[in-house]
Amino acid sequence: MNEHDSETIAGMLREKGYEKVNAAKDANIVIFNTCSIRENADKRFFGTLGQLKKKKEQEKDGFVVCVCGCMAQQQHIIDTIKQKYSWVDVIFGTHNIHELPELLDNLYNEKKKQISVYPDRDGIVEGLPCERLYKHKSYVNIMYGCNNFCTYCIVPYTRGRERSRKPEDIVNEVKNLVADGVVEIMLLGQNVNSYKGEFSDGTGCDFTDLIYLLNDIEGLERIRFMTSHPKDLSDKLINAFRDCKKLCHYFHLPVQAGSSKVLKEMNRRYTREHYLELVRKLREAAPDIAISTDIIVGFPGETEDEFLETLELCKEVRYDSAFTFLYSVRKGTPAEKREDQVPEAVKHDRFNRLCDVINEISCEKNAEYVGTVQNVLVEGPSKRNSKTYGGRTDTFKLVNFIGSKELIGKTVKVRITGSNTFSLEGEIIND
Ligand code: SAH
Ligand code: SF4
């Protein structure tokens, strides 16, 4: 979500005549798009921001520093910036991105700090420019905000309530992207399963209806989406994996914990059993589907036995991959107030044990690909070796192979010759 917001910000700056430079030291304007999901991100942000103080003192009005993103939505962060980093020129929230050009004009004209942060906002601003990271693939926001209030999470407070875009607007955006060379889209939302679009004539459109509409767009090859909440994952969506050829066989389904008691305290509103049933149905509809997840260890009150339930669940589901997180206390969330916080050392120990299990399974799952032939959408050269190119299978596995520039954005057939924990190796088959 933040990455896509950054693309929008870059697009707006480009329209204003700015150009991208590689290092902050060469820039006339620096914008921090912040994340507040865990404390680490908070800390890193303030550290990096502090490093710009000297440049600001030297270059004064010739150098503009802006802060936006989820952290900018929190009053205590705004107060800290005002007190300790008073040289920051512009602060704008996640609901105010579209105002950036105006805020910069005001800053230059009025020579005065600009702060624009709405606590919450209903509307959606359409038609903002975007500077895509890739020519052949694109993010597409279908909704904003979150209504779920998981007890550990700051997102509903920083990104506001759920708002869905109109299906026509999404379809038109995707058609324009396809006309511009995009073959793969990633639909974005905090909980795409609860997308509730409405056509201009008032008819409703749920997430699966939207997938069917997009599946019909000529020239589009792959549809991905992120993120899904298990409580809203319908049979209708699961069935779409049978019907929609362009829907990639990859599902990111955050479980967060393997114990129904912990899930209840997290306010996730599903049980371990329900989650396992969803996984079973997904595999029934698409046997080759890759499944990944998010897991938090050390949620307040989590016992060793409850943690073992998470380990067992991972072994049962056999995830292709997982994002694992140490529980991080977030100011203003219900879990912050709990007195039974898990000691750091225990959290770290559980985290390491979980990663071992996840990595072992990822490694085994990747090894199953060796000897198969995969359709790989080529993304670009690898950072380490210019002859090696990387691309993704339908199931989102990263495959490295010897390739060439002309192949970027094309789908090639690759025979998988090797595997490790995080990627596959292969060779292109010329047929
Ligand atoms: N809306 C998505 C993901 C949002 S944030 C969803 O519900 O799945 C991405 C991930 O960050 C979450 O899935 C969760 O695993 C993790 N996360 C959120 N808050 C956290 C916290 N306070 N501490 C540790 N991890 C957290
Ligand atoms: Fe946070 Fe839960 Fe909303 Fe995801 S669904 S953004 S974890 S509150």
Side-chain angles (χ1 to χ4, degrees):
M1 200 69 84
N2 285 44
E3 234 172 74
H4 190 38
D5 285 348
S6 292
E7 290 181 333
T8 305
I9 291 167
M12 286 190 294
L13 290 178
R14 176 81 68 188
E15 278 194 355
K16 270 191 91 60
Y18 287 90
E19 288 198 6
K20 209 179 239 171
V21 290
N22 287 328
K25 68 174 175 39
D26 303 322
N28 301 113
I29 177 164
V30 166
I31 302 186
F32 286 90
N33 187 8
T34 60
C35 169
S36 56
I37 203 85
R38 277 163 293 131
E39 203 183 355
N40 259 350
D42 273 32
K43 282 196 188 136
R44 277 200 357 236
F45 159 64
F46 281 119
T48 324
L49 180 64
Q51 288 168 16
L52 293 183
K53 186 174 179 194
K54 217 161 137 206
K55 181 171 160 79
K56 180 72 193 170
E57 278 170 359
Q58 283 165 356
E59 299 180 21
K60 303 203 169 64
D61 290 351
F63 180 50
V64 172
V65 181
C66 311
V67 176
C68 66
C70 292
M71 287 177 74
Q73 283 295 140
Q74 295 168 275
Q75 191 54 48
H76 68 103
I77 301 280
I78 298 178
D79 294 342
T80 307
I81 296 175
K82 279 193 195 155
Q83 283 156 18
K84 297 196 182 148
Y85 306 84
S86 56
W87 40 271
V88 167
D89 300 291
V90 180
I91 302 176
F92 59 102
T94 52
H95 307 290
N96 312 72
I97 291 181
H98 60 285
E99 292 176 9
L100 177 62
E102 193 188 325
L103 292 170
L104 288 176
D105 285 345
N106 294 348
L107 174 78
Y108 290 126
N109 294 335
E110 299 167 13
K111 305 251 172 296
K112 176 166 136 246
K113 193 184 288 300
Q114 304 290 318
I115 301 182
S116 189
V117 180
Y118 305 143
D120 206 343
R121 189 169 196 275
D122 283 341
I124 292 176
V125 183
E126 289 290 346
L128 293 178
C130 176
E131 183 158 314
R132 289 202 311 274
L133 228 52
Y134 291 90
K135 183 96 187 80
H136 68 278
K137 62 174 190 176
S138 180
Y139 294 120
V140 176
N141 256 121
I142 62 163
M143 59 192 296
Y144 299 88
C146 180
N147 287 350
N148 291 319
F149 290 95
C150 301
T151 54
Y152 50 80
C153 185
I154 195 76
V155 172
Y157 307 90
T158 60
R159 295 230 169 223
R161 294 295 68 69
E162 270 176 20
R163 284 114 46 222
S164 296
R165 288 178 71 194
K166 282 195 176 308
E168 291 105 325
D169 287 337
I170 298 171
V171 169
N172 283 337
E173 181 179 341
V174 175
K175 281 185 177 161
N176 288 336
L177 287 167
V178 170
D180 195 35
V182 166
V183 290
E184 177 181 303
I185 49 164
M186 165 78 90
L187 305 175
L188 290 180
Q190 293 300 342
N191 176 12
V192 288
N193 302 151
S194 66
Y195 170 81
K196 272 188 211 71
E198 204 177 88
F199 288 98
S200 301
D201 67 3
T203 351
C205 174
D206 68 16
F207 181 58
T208 317
D209 299 333
L210 181 67
I211 299 266
Y212 279 87
L213 283 175
L214 297 172
N215 193 60
D216 284 342
I217 295 179
E218 211 168 307
L220 183 65
E221 292 173 20
R222 287 180 167 186
I223 304 171
R224 302 188 184 280
F225 55 83
M226 191 176 236
T227 298
S228 300
H229 195 303
K231 81 175 164 57
D232 299 311
L233 172 49
S234 63
D235 288 348
K236 187 172 165 188
L237 177 58
I238 294 175
N239 282 327
F241 282 92
R242 293 196 173 97
D243 299 342
C244 297
K245 278 183 74 182
K246 297 176 183 172
L247 190 54
C248 288
H249 284 193
Y250 169 75
F251 211 107
H252 184 66
L253 190 61
V255 67
Q256 313 297 0
S259 142
S260 293
K261 177 168 162 272
V262 175
L263 287 171
K264 189 154 199 286
E265 291 174 14
M266 287 177 161
N267 192 31
R268 291 290 290 179
R269 287 174 279 175
Y270 54 86
T271 60
R272 172 194 179 93
E273 291 68 31
H274 180 69
Y275 183 92
L276 289 171
E277 179 60 9
L278 291 175
V279 170
R280 192 194 61 71
K281 284 188 193 168
L282 278 169
R283 291 208 166 120
E284 195 177 64
D288 65 337
I289 199 163
I291 301 179
S292 62
T293 199
D294 291 347
I295 300 172
I296 299 176
V297 296
F299 181 77
E302 182 192 67
T303 63
E304 172 65 16
D305 280 351
E306 285 157 3
F307 168 68
L308 290 177
E309 285 191 69
T310 300
L311 278 191
E312 283 311 311
L313 179 124
C314 292
K315 289 180 191 162
E316 200 169 331
V317 174
R318 293 183 58 74
Y319 289 110
D320 288 83
S321 61
F323 296 104
T324 47
F325 305 102
L326 293 159
Y327 167 71
S328 171
V329 181
R330 302 288 64 210
K331 211 175 155 97
T333 59
E336 177 211 359
K337 291 159 197 88
R338 287 184 57 160
E339 282 171 9
D340 49 356
Q341 300 289 332
V342 174
E344 284 303 310
V346 175
K347 272 197 235 176
H348 278 93
D349 172 62
R350 288 179 189 167
F351 183 80
N352 292 338
R353 283 152 66 203
L354 177 65
C355 290
D356 286 347
V357 167
I358 294 287
N359 289 345
E360 195 184 322
I361 297 170
S362 296
C363 201
E364 287 168 8
K365 289 231 121 182
N366 284 349
E368 289 168 14
Y369 278 71
V370 177
T372 64
V373 173
Q374 299 289 323
N375 289 322
V376 174
L377 179 57
V378 184
E379 298 204 328
S382 103
K383 284 198 185 101
R384 272 174 281 162
N385 177 347
S386 61
K387 285 198 183 123
T388 305
Y389 278 69
R392 299 267 174 189
T393 64
D394 178 88
T395 54
F396 205 57
K397 301 276 177 188
L398 176 63
V399 187
N400 292 309
F401 49 89
I402 303 296
S404 56
K405 222 171 53 214
E406 307 75 63
L407 295 177
I408 296 175
K410 304 228 160 59
T411 300
V412 293
K413 286 211 179 312
V414 177
R415 175 172 292 113
I416 307 301
T417 53
S419 70
N420 55 51
T421 312
F422 301 110
S423 62
L424 305 173
E425 278 153 38
E427 48 197 28
I428 296 186
I429 303 178
N430 295 308
D431 48 13

